[in-house]
């Protein structure tokens, strides 16, 4: 399966990518998680990305495209792109990479939600910094507050989930990423999901949209 998850910060792209990964062995490629790992390891890429991420801006296209090119080398069995592409330039570069490999996309899934819901979800999100798994104080709390259910380690609030930065990220989405909705609509592969529903309902809509509803 070769999928792109498109949608604003907090729409639930990462949550649903991890569900598909667990159920169907699909490989989630989250550009945000890869960048955060690079920052934690102090790589050159991590250092370059840091300022942009702290401000809620996009990391420059050239860095992201090179990063994706490396990831695709180990994606022969498919991928779920979570948070990429985010600009028209990234989408065009990705089309060219996929065309060269003769790997057509199966679908581009748009997670649609209103701004108030997104702000609420991000301000109550808790993240496991070791693997990117997320929880939510209201909709999906961990068994013990502040502690990951599986590895027992501490959960953190992402520094870019502060209200000012969330607002900036949502503006950046509207300006730079939303044009991709029209871009992918012309391919006939765009599937729209109502991301305001519960996690289970969204998972159900998603399975239906990509033709996996009977594949449990
Ligand atoms: P990234 O890490 O990709 O962040 P994002 O796109 O802003 O997405 P989020 O992780 O915030 O949201 P999500 O949709 O995955 O929601 P989640 O499932 O966690 O990017 C971070 C930064 O990296 C960017 O700002 C940029 O600087 C840089 N970057 C990354 N990719 C880049 C690129 N391609 N180009 C340039 N720069 C790039 O859910 C959110 C919360 O809601 C959680 O608490 C969850 O438990 C809860 N929740 C989920 N679903 C539901 C539901 N259905 N009902 C109720 N609650 C729910």
């Amino acid at each position: 399966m070769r999928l792109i998850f498109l949608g604003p910060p907090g729409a639930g792209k990462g949550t649903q990518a991890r569900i598909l990964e667990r159920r169907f062995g699909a490989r989630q490629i989250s550009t945000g998680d890869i960048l955060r790992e690079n920052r934690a390891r102090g790589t050159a890429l991590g250092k370059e990305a840091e300022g942009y991420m702290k401000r809620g801006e996009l990391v420059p296209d050239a860095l992201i495209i090179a990063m994706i090119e490396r990831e695709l080398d180990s994606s022969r069995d498919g991928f779920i792109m979570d948070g990429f592409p985010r600009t028209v330039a990234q989408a065009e570069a990705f089309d060219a990479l996929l065309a060269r490999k003769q790997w057509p996309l199966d679908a581009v899934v748009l997670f649609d939600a209103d701004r108030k819901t997104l702000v609420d979800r991000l301000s109550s999100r808790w993240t496991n910094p070791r693997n990117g798994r997320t929880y939510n104080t209201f909709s999906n709390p961990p068994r013990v507050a502040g502690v990951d259910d599986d590895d027992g380690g501490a959960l953190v609030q992402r520094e870019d989930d502060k209200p000012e930065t969330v607002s900036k990220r949502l503006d950046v989405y509207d300006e730079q990423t939303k044009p991709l909705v029209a871009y992918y609509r012309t391919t006939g592969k765009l599937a729209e999901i109502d991301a305001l529903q519960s996690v289970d309902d969204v998972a159900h809509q998603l399975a239906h949209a990509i033709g996996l509803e009977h594949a449990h």
Side-chain angles (χ1 to χ4, degrees):
M1 123 183 33
R2 286 188 287 269
L3 302 174
I4 290 175
F5 281 6
L6 185 62
K13 306 179 296 294
T15 300
Q16 296 298 331
R18 274 183 289 277
I19 292 175
L20 277 190
E21 192 168 58
R22 213 169 46 237
R23 286 196 187 147
F24 303 109
R27 175 163 183 252
Q28 175 200 22
I29 299 182
S30 158
T31 40
D33 284 350
I34 298 170
L35 290 168
R36 280 184 288 278
E37 273 164 32
N38 275 274
R39 285 179 57 188
R41 286 192 283 121
T43 67
L45 171 62
K47 285 184 185 137
E48 280 205 71
E50 183 165 345
Y52 298 100
M53 294 175 79
K54 279 189 173 161
R55 294 190 295 275
E57 295 166 5
L58 295 185
V59 173
D61 288 335
L63 292 177
I64 298 290
I65 292 162
M67 187 174 108
I68 286 294
E69 217 168 335
R70 290 192 292 274
E71 289 297 321
L72 275 190
D73 286 342
S74 44
S75 304
R76 192 163 295 278
D77 295 333
F79 53 76
I80 304 168
M81 286 295 165
D82 167 11
F84 172 89
R86 255 171 152 101
T87 63
V88 171
Q90 291 181 18
E92 287 172 349
F94 194 42
D95 278 350
L97 281 173
L98 294 179
R100 207 178 325 140
K101 291 185 178 290
Q102 297 185 297
W103 288 354
L105 285 171
D106 295 312
V108 178
V109 182
L110 173 64
F111 291 76
D112 207 15
D114 63 89
R115 193 167 175 118
K116 160 110 181 39
T117 303
L118 299 169
V119 171
D120 288 349
R121 282 186 187 172
L122 293 175
S123 61
S124 48
R125 167 163 69 178
W126 289 85
T127 303
N128 177 335
R130 295 162 297 283
N131 60 16
R133 179 173 175 185
T134 58
Y135 295 85
N136 190 280
T137 309
F138 304 109
S139 60
N140 176 28
R143 283 196 292 272
V144 178
V147 177
D148 186 83
D149 288 353
D150 294 329
D151 71 16
L155 300 174
V156 299
Q157 289 200 285
R158 264 170 51 181
E159 64 183 353
D160 61 346
D161 282 348
K162 290 191 299 242
E164 329 70 270
T165 321
V166 164
S167 176
K168 171 74 183 172
R169 286 162 62 205
L170 292 171
D171 291 344
V172 166
Y173 175 80
D174 284 343
E175 288 156 20
Q176 300 189 52
T177 308
K178 232 183 194 167
L180 292 184
V181 176
Y183 180 94
Y184 284 117
R185 194 167 270 138
T186 61
T187 66
K189 291 184 178 172
L190 189 75
E192 296 186 45
I193 302 266
D194 175 6
L196 293 177
Q197 305 305 313
S198 68
V199 171
D200 285 350
D201 282 351
V202 174
H204 190 76
Q205 287 181 65
L206 174 61
H208 182 75
I210 60 177
L212 284 176
E213 64 264 63
H214 302 302
H216 287 277

